[in-house]
Amino acid sequence: MSAQVILSHPWFPTLTAAVVAVLVALVVHRIARMLLLRLTRPLPGLYGMVDKCRPAARWVLPLIGLQMVWQAAPEDLRGLGSVRHLNGLLLIAGVAWLAVRAINGFTEGFLSKYPATVADNLQARRLHTQGRVLARTAICVVLIAAASLMLMTFPGARQVGASLLASAGVIGIVAGLAAKPVFSNLIAGLQIA
């Protein structure tokens, strides 16, 4: 293939913009990671969350950049709709992965302040159990919401996705009501500690 054929291909400008968007997103990720790790070092919960989010953010930021490029691309490009849809699915999955990592990182960072290896560890063990239950509940809600949003991108499965999203909302409300005593115990335990 000659350079003239490559340069005149309808996808060439869009693919060039996509490469630039990915490179810019990776540079932004690297700079933001260093700044956030430095700023959150004194806060164990936030530091753990930022630290755990690094691999997921490395994928999510380029996917956001690519989605912006695909949305700005000319509508007459062949196969653009499929590329947008695939990128959208990957972006939803990436954001869900990022949220799960953030929840796990915050939980681990927060619980690191209360080691269960000390002699009198009843309070610490209780905080660990409550924190892990809350984290798993939040992760379940995030995963159900992500699955329903992914289903809603398919026209034939839109109704199933909407029903699943509604059930995730109901699960979130029920979990919030059920976790009310856990939250009050957690806060009381923190005040005592």
Side-chain angles (χ1 to χ4, degrees):
M1 264 183 146
S2 70
Q4 183 64 26
V5 172
I6 293 173
L7 292 174
S8 65
H9 194 277
W11 271 92
F12 181 75
T14 304
L15 291 178
T16 303
V19 169
V20 170
V22 167
L23 293 175
V24 167
L26 291 174
V27 168
V28 167
H29 170 264
R30 188 170 183 92
I31 293 169
R33 181 191 70 188
M34 288 188 302
L35 285 174
L36 288 173
L37 285 174
R38 184 167 291 162
L39 289 173
T40 59
R41 193 170 304 277
L43 307 166
L46 290 177
Y47 182 80
M49 185 174 68
V50 170
D51 188 44
K52 281 279 189 186
C53 287
R54 287 187 298 175
R58 191 178 299 127
W59 286 95
V60 169
L61 290 176
L63 286 170
I64 290 171
L66 286 174
Q67 192 67 22
M68 292 180 353
V69 169
W70 305 143
Q71 293 301 325
E75 295 294 329
D76 59 346
L77 287 178
R78 203 171 98 208
L80 182 63
S82 299
V83 170
R84 283 178 179 165
H85 188 243
L86 177 63
N87 197 92
L89 290 173
L90 291 173
L91 185 57
I92 292 169
V95 169
W97 181 32
L98 182 67
V100 167
R101 299 280 301 193
I103 292 167
N104 282 333
F106 183 79
T107 304
E108 287 178 17
F110 174 75
L111 294 178
S112 69
K113 294 193 309 186
Y114 305 97
T117 57
V118 295
D120 186 20
N121 65 358
L122 181 63
Q123 183 70 19
R125 284 187 296 143
R126 191 171 68 177
L127 286 173
H128 278 252
T129 302
Q130 292 171 348
R132 296 199 192 292
V133 167
L134 290 173
R136 287 181 184 143
T137 304
I139 288 170
C140 285
V141 170
V142 165
L143 293 178
I144 290 171
S148 62
L149 288 173
M150 291 173 93
L151 283 174
M152 288 173 67
T153 64
F154 296 96
R158 187 163 287 150
Q159 186 62 37
V160 175
S163 300
L164 194 60
L165 189 59
S167 68
V170 171
I171 289 171
I173 291 171
V174 170
L177 290 174
K180 186 178 176 186
V182 174
F183 277 124
S184 63
N185 288 342
L186 185 66
I187 291 169
L190 291 176
Q191 288 173 341
I192 292 171

